[in-house]
Amino acid sequence: MHPFKSGDLLHLTPAASVQFSRPFYFRLIRVLEDRITYDGWAWIEGYELDARGDAVARRELFVQPGGLRKLKP
């Protein structure tokens, strides 16, 4: 079970995956729980946000949930 829900604002950094060398903000649509992953990893779907908080790209990402930082709305 993961601690995230639809609508959460997340900050993605290298702690979530080395692919995020440039940290960014992400609005979660859902956790893709039907996908098989390695232990400690998850697929998430949502929108990458720009500096103003506007969605710039819809993405599916492979992350370590323990490295995601949930921000207050």
Side-chain angles (χ1 to χ4, degrees):
M1 186 72 185
H2 57 83
F4 306 107
K5 64 183 184 317
S6 178
D8 283 348
L9 176 61
L10 305 173
H11 189 225
L12 278 72
T13 68
S17 176
V18 295
Q19 66 182 318
F20 308 129
S21 59
R22 179 189 58 84
F24 63 95
Y25 296 101
F26 189 79
R27 177 74 63 194
L28 184 69
I29 295 173
R30 63 187 173 132
V31 177
L32 303 169
E33 298 193 44
D34 58 335
R35 295 205 182 162
I36 297 171
T37 65
Y38 295 104
D39 188 40
W41 290 81
W43 281 97
I44 60 174
E45 180 179 10
Y47 293 99
E48 181 177 349
L49 306 176
D50 66 12
R52 296 183 311 175
D54 295 329
V56 293
R58 186 170 177 160
R59 300 178 65 182
E60 290 183 0
L61 305 172
F62 192 54
V63 298
Q64 292 181 298
L68 298 174
R69 196 171 107 219
K70 184 175 171 181
L71 303 174
K72 296 185 187 210

